[in-house]
Amino acid sequence: MSVAHETLELLVSEVDGATVLCAPDVGWFTLALPRGAVVAAGETAGVLTRLGTSFELRVPASAHGEIASDPPALVRQPVGYGYVLYRLAAVASASTSARSTQGTSQVSPGSSLVLRAPQSGRFYQRPAPGEPPFVTVGSIVKDGQPVGMIEVMKTFSHVAWRATRELPASARVTALKAADGADVKSGDVLLELEPE
């Protein structure tokens, strides 16, 4: 299993009048965000693996917007320096815009939250057969906590709860939407949650 221990900042450029986020190095790009996700400075927007080392890709301070491009067709997309990973657009709606500018502590209790699959593959709720699941209905998840794993070609990646502008630092699981061992696509809902 490859785990990102280091970070790289995405490159910002402009193509045909649109802001784009580009690969800062050569390697294999994975864990792409889905179309429609809102990104802001400092957030993680995928992983780049180069020579056996994985780097979390961070959104630079000068970038903010809604992803207007589809994720790569390949789970592990080969990329070169400056390869366009995301095309950004202005945030689509006022409600999305308001959500993206709120602090994480302002998520109202009782509102519904979802955690989506960061990539396509087979989703597992537990670390190994016969072991207890990472989370169950009623579990409290905290920033950085694994909630499942996705397998792609015998490679397992943890799916973790990450606090963002849209997601609080902790939340309570209200429903498990993907069965243990289910095939999921990038962007499918894995968990439904509510703010703690």
Side-chain angles (χ1 to χ4, degrees):
M1 171 174 30
S2 179
V3 179
H5 294 288
E6 301 181 43
T7 62
L8 288 173
E9 191 169 273
L10 290 161
L11 304 175
V12 180
S13 188
E14 192 171 304
V15 175
D16 298 328
T19 301
V20 293
L21 298 177
C22 305
D25 205 341
V26 299
W28 296 95
F29 174 60
T30 189
L31 297 177
L33 297 175
R35 176 188 283 268
V38 176
V39 294
E43 294 180 355
T44 300
V47 172
L48 184 74
T49 303
R50 177 184 43 127
L51 300 173
T53 302
S54 295
F55 300 87
E56 286 187 1
L57 297 175
R58 298 287 177 166
V59 177
S62 59
H64 176 266
E66 182 175 327
I67 296 174
S69 54
D70 290 321
L74 300 174
V75 172
R76 294 183 71 229
Q77 175 71 41
V79 297
Y81 177 84
Y83 182 94
V84 175
L85 302 177
Y86 300 106
R87 180 178 295 271
L88 300 182
V91 178
S93 69
S95 63
T96 305
S97 178
R99 224 178 35 243
S100 70
T101 58
Q102 288 179 347
T104 56
S105 62
Q106 296 181 11
V107 176
S108 59
S111 64
S112 181
L113 304 169
V114 294
L115 180 66
R116 297 183 183 277
Q119 68 183 60
S120 300
R122 181 157 293 160
F123 177 71
Y124 293 100
Q125 295 178 351
R126 57 192 77 241
E131 293 196 19
F134 287 100
V135 296
T136 58
V137 172
S139 296
I140 302 296
V141 294
K142 299 195 180 295
D143 187 36
Q145 176 182 341
V147 298
M149 293 190 310
I150 292 183
E151 175 201 1
V152 179
M153 298 175 59
K154 304 295 182 195
T155 299
F156 293 82
S157 300
H158 277 105
V159 177
W161 177 261
R162 296 282 184 204
T164 64
R165 291 179 186 258
E166 289 83 27
L167 299 176
S170 65
R172 182 182 314 278
V173 177
T174 58
L176 304 172
K177 302 305 278 185
D180 193 34
D183 288 330
V184 297
K185 293 182 181 174
S186 179
D188 284 356
V189 175
L190 302 177
L191 304 174
E192 287 182 355
L193 309 98
E194 62 185 11
E196 184 184 24

